[in-house]
């Protein structure tokens, strides 16, 4: 994790006022081999015998990327390049119906699929060889009802984009500290972040989702899961199974007011004081003001302590630190 992404998001939050979802697909024994055949025929063909299960033969829509296209290499690569996959086709959804069409197409052609948003699945789960990748990263709609404190956003938003959009109206929801991570992947995985002690986990604020799910033998449909309808699915999407229950295309949160964050950093050269610093931090933080968040980074020759206080001042943040840390040099 880069220093830029972690610290930049925290500082940006203070200044402004404030990864992959995997859907199991069907891997056919005779799935198309990307090395042996062109995909053009498969992508264009529609079996006239299909449709008997209640849906018409599907056609892929949205922005379609195939092997041989100029952008294929860039579009297939994920954040962790230790895992390199070569999908049969990548579908960048422009709207929810594109996701419906892609899931239906995959089921009708018995092609394995993966779902991708921020490309941060560190184990490479959001990509696949010889299958279809459904990428929701371009679904970036934002609707905020400030009076009701409800925000509905597309599944393509990154955490930094979500923080920025909410901060413009002095609102917040828990996100992680890595700005480029997809919001949907982080949320359906539970959602740990700097504001956990103040606002709870991200999934605690999730009150509704738009989800594309299989329907019948080879179709797909859109459903709304909230406290009233499909509440069991909403429960599952709030941290259970990391999103393996459908393709989330929209998220609705109950958001909270947040006008400012005080951000403070302390440094120690060398590792001589590591035991005392870490022990004091571990013993003090659980009993600190719930507005306070903090983390310790241990480098080869330096220790860093970061602290942030929701709706607080720098002076307040300093007073919240463990007593043994007050000799540190704030930055």
């Amino acid at each position: 994790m880069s220093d830029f992404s972690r610290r930049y998001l925290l500082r940006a939050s203070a200044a402004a006022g404030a990864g992959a979802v995997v859907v199991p697909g069907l891997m056919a024994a005779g799935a198309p081999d990307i090395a042996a055949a062109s995909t053009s025929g498969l992508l264009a063909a529609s079996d006239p015998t299909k449709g008997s299960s209640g849906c018409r033969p599907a056609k892929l829509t949205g922005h379609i990327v195939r092997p041989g296209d100029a952008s294929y290499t860039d579009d297939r690569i994920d954040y962790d390049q230790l895992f390199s996959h070569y999908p049969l086709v990548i579908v960048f959804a422009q709207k929810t119906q594109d996701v419906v069409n892609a899931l239906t197409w995959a089921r009708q052609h018995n092609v394995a699929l993966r779902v991708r948003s921020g490309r941060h699945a560190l184990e490479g789960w959001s990509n696949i060889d010889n299958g279809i990748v459904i990428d929701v990263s371009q679904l970036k709609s934002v609707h905020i009802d400030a009076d009701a404190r409800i925000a509905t956003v597309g599944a393509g938003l990154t955490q930094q984009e979500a923080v920025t959009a909410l901060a413009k109206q002095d609102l917040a929801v828990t996100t992680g500290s890595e700005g480029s991570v997809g919001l949907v992947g982080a949320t359906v995985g539970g959602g740990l972040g700097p504001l956990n002690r103040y606002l709870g986990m991200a999934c605690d604020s999730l009150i509704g989702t738009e989800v594309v799910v299989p329907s019948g033998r080879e179709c797909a449909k859109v459903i709304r899961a909230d406290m009233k309808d499909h509440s069991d699915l909403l429960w599952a999407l709030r941290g259970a199974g990391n999103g393996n229950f459908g393709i989330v295309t929209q998220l609705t949160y109950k958001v909270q007011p947040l006008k400012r964050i005080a951000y403070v950093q302390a440094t120690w050269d060398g590792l001589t004081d590591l035991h005392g610093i870490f022990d004091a931090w571990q013993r003090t933080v659980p009993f600190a003001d719930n507005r306070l968040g903090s983390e310790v980074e241990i480098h080869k020759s330096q220790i860093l302590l970061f602290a942030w206080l929701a709706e607080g001042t720098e002076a307040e943040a300093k007073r919240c630190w463990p007593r043994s840390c007050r000799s540190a040099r704030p930055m």
Side-chain angles (χ1 to χ4, degrees):
M1 186 174 293
S2 68
D3 289 343
F4 164 79
S5 55
R6 180 191 298 255
R7 295 172 198 156
Y8 178 82
L9 182 61
L10 291 173
R11 290 192 177 107
S13 298
V21 187
V22 181
V23 177
L26 299 175
M27 175 59 81
D33 187 344
I34 196 170
S38 167
T39 63
S40 58
L42 179 60
L43 295 182
S46 295
D47 187 341
T49 65
K50 299 291 183 181
S52 58
S53 62
C55 57
R56 297 178 179 179
K59 180 179 179 181
L60 295 180
T61 57
H63 176 55
I64 312 300
V65 178
R66 291 175 276 190
D69 290 346
S71 65
Y72 178 76
T73 298
D74 289 338
D75 290 339
R76 72 171 180 83
I77 291 176
D78 287 341
Y79 177 83
D80 187 350
Q81 296 184 28
L82 287 175
F83 299 90
S84 183
H85 295 283
Y86 295 84
L88 182 75
V89 60
I90 305 169
V91 175
F92 287 92
Q94 311 293 301
K95 54 187 178 181
T96 300
Q97 187 59 45
D98 297 335
V99 178
V100 175
N101 294 343
L103 179 55
T104 303
W105 183 90
R107 300 189 75 206
Q108 289 179 349
H109 292 283
N110 204 22
V111 173
L113 69 93
R114 293 293 185 270
V115 183
R116 187 177 71 182
S117 177
R119 306 196 195 189
H120 275 262
L122 296 182
E123 298 82 0
W125 291 339
S126 61
N127 212 331
I128 191 170
D129 292 317
N130 300 327
I132 179 174
V133 172
I134 303 175
D135 190 301
V136 300
S137 64
Q138 296 180 10
L139 300 178
K140 293 187 179 295
S141 60
V142 177
H143 177 75
I144 301 173
D145 185 336
D147 293 333
R149 295 181 184 173
I150 293 175
T152 299
V153 301
L157 257 63
T158 64
Q159 295 185 131
Q160 184 171 327
E161 289 170 337
V163 167
T164 301
L166 289 169
K168 290 178 180 178
Q169 300 195 42
D170 292 333
L171 297 169
V173 70
T174 298
T175 67
S177 57
E178 179 77 18
S180 61
V181 168
L183 182 66
V184 62
T187 299
V188 299
L192 292 170
L195 295 176
N196 278 156
R197 300 186 72 245
Y198 186 52
L199 299 180
M201 298 175 68
C203 63
D204 294 330
S205 299
L206 186 67
I207 60 174
T209 58
E210 179 185 81
V211 193
V212 177
V213 297
S215 177
R217 185 165 58 88
E218 57 183 23
C219 307
K221 65 180 181 180
V222 184
I223 63 173
R224 176 75 183 175
D226 53 30
M227 300 295 187
K228 180 179 179 182
D229 299 313
H230 304 289
S231 58
D232 54 343
L233 177 57
L234 177 65
W235 175 87
L237 291 171
R238 296 175 74 182
N242 204 27
N244 292 302
F245 303 100
I247 305 175
V248 176
T249 53
Q250 199 174 77
L251 303 159
T252 299
Y253 298 93
K254 185 69 174 178
V255 296
Q256 301 299 326
L258 182 62
K259 291 185 177 181
R260 61 176 295 167
I261 291 179
Y263 177 84
V264 189
Q265 175 182 321
T267 64
W268 292 261
D269 293 328
L271 303 180
T272 305
D273 297 322
L274 176 58
H275 182 274
I277 293 167
F278 195 82
D279 183 68
W281 179 61
Q282 289 282 283
R283 290 175 180 275
T284 305
V285 166
F287 305 100
D289 190 316
N290 285 341
R291 298 175 299 154
L292 181 72
S294 61
E295 65 180 36
V296 170
E297 284 188 8
I298 303 168
H299 299 267
K300 290 181 179 180
S301 59
Q302 189 179 63
I303 306 168
L304 303 177
L305 171 64
F306 306 98
W308 47 90
L309 186 67
E311 303 291 16
T313 65
E314 182 177 330
E316 287 181 291
K318 290 178 182 178
R319 288 197 296 270
C320 289
W321 288 12
R323 183 171 301 171
S324 62
C325 294
R326 289 184 183 172
S327 61
R329 175 168 50 89
M331 309 220 11

